[in-house]
Amino acid sequence: MIKIILATSNPHKLEEINAINTNPEIVFDVVDGDFDPEENGVNFKENALIKAKEAAKIMKTYCLADDSGLCVDVLEGRPGIHSARYAQTQKEKIEKLLAEMKDVPYDWRGAHFVCSMVLVDSDGNLVHAQEGRVYGFIDDSPKGTNGFCYDPIFFIPAKDKTMAELPEEEKNAISHRSNALRPMLKWIEENLI
Ligand code: ITT
């Protein structure tokens, strides 16, 4: 069995990661105390490494971090690594993005979620990295109540639904997070258990 610390303060990520992981030999736990390192990297992977290394410093064991965000084509990839700080609340983030996209026609509303996931050892050395993505479009109004943050405006044509209209298992089958986590779990099974 291996215990891995999740270097996050976002309870939704923890929930999703625990739901995606079906291997009882891999157990996730959280960092003791408050955890809010400054994410001043220039890309998703750098920010994921900052979080994972900081958690390893505190917890002295294997730590996994997820840095993720929404990249909108017509906004040249914004909000991207700034997705969490784009506006204060979930509601304000959605309103701000819909305002920026106000006159953009459907065909130009392409976007994708990215998840950069890194695993470091107890000394903070990178041992494995994976990236996952999911492609869709920015809807013109929020729909659905599942998931979190930008999910109500992320429309997935193959499902004819927004991410927030999908039941938890369906989001977890296609999400950027699961597309990074599934190969990460496989690597952990093959190399660390
Ligand atoms: P930690 O850094 O503590 O892990 P965080 O929420 O600040 O938590 P990030 O820095 O990785 O995480 O920022 C990710 C932001 O991207 C997140 O706050 C959302 O705004 C957005 N995001 C990421 N994954 C998402 C998802 O599955 N659904 C909707 N929005 C998501």
Side-chain angles (χ1 to χ4, degrees):
M1 193 184 101
I2 183 168
K3 183 159 129 181
I4 297 174
I5 299 297
L6 282 181
T8 184
S9 55
N10 182 333
H12 297 284
K13 288 186 182 180
L14 177 65
E15 250 174 51
E16 288 186 7
I17 289 171
N18 275 328
I20 295 162
N21 174 35
T22 52
N23 187 338
E25 295 285 293
I26 305 174
V27 176
F28 289 103
D29 205 346
V30 291
V31 182
D32 294 339
D34 285 346
F35 182 71
D36 192 19
E38 192 185 349
E39 296 176 33
N40 54 11
V42 297
N43 55 43
F44 290 109
K45 190 174 175 188
E46 272 191 28
N47 279 340
L49 267 173
I50 289 169
K51 291 187 265 192
K53 282 173 185 284
E54 182 63 24
K57 223 188 269 172
I58 301 167
M59 302 300 287
K60 309 257 182 304
T61 187
Y62 283 106
C63 294
L64 184 95
D66 149 341
D67 198 66
S68 45
L70 177 64
C71 302
V72 180
D73 299 349
V74 79
L75 302 180
E76 292 170 345
R78 284 191 301 112
I81 60 168
H82 303 293
S83 295
R85 290 160 277 169
Y86 179 61
Q88 284 274 316
T89 64
Q90 163 168 343
K91 188 165 173 279
E92 285 164 0
K93 285 182 179 105
I94 286 179
E95 282 169 3
K96 184 173 171 187
L97 188 55
L98 290 181
E100 283 208 73
M101 300 289 286
K102 194 165 149 276
D103 296 317
V104 179
Y106 179 81
D107 284 354
W108 287 44
R109 298 176 77 93
H112 59 277
F113 277 116
V114 178
C115 173
S116 174
M117 203 168 261
V118 301
L119 180 70
V120 302
D121 65 17
S122 54
D123 294 322
N125 300 311
L126 176 67
V127 291
H128 196 61
Q130 289 287 162
E131 190 187 271
R133 292 180 177 215
V134 59
Y135 287 84
F137 289 83
I138 303 301
D139 211 321
D140 52 13
S141 62
K143 295 174 187 84
T145 54
N146 299 331
F148 67 100
C149 206
Y150 299 98
D151 285 340
I153 53 168
F154 189 77
F155 179 76
I156 301 151
K159 301 278 179 188
D160 197 26
K161 285 193 170 98
T162 67
M163 195 78 113
E165 291 178 299
L166 298 179
E168 184 192 307
E169 318 79 70
E170 273 192 63
K171 173 177 178 182
N172 289 341
I174 61 160
S175 76
H176 50 310
R177 191 156 294 106
S178 72
N179 286 335
L181 184 62
R182 280 185 276 107
M184 177 65 83
L185 290 170
K186 189 160 184 283
W187 188 90
I188 293 168
E189 281 164 7
E190 289 170 358
N191 294 277
L192 299 180
I193 296 181

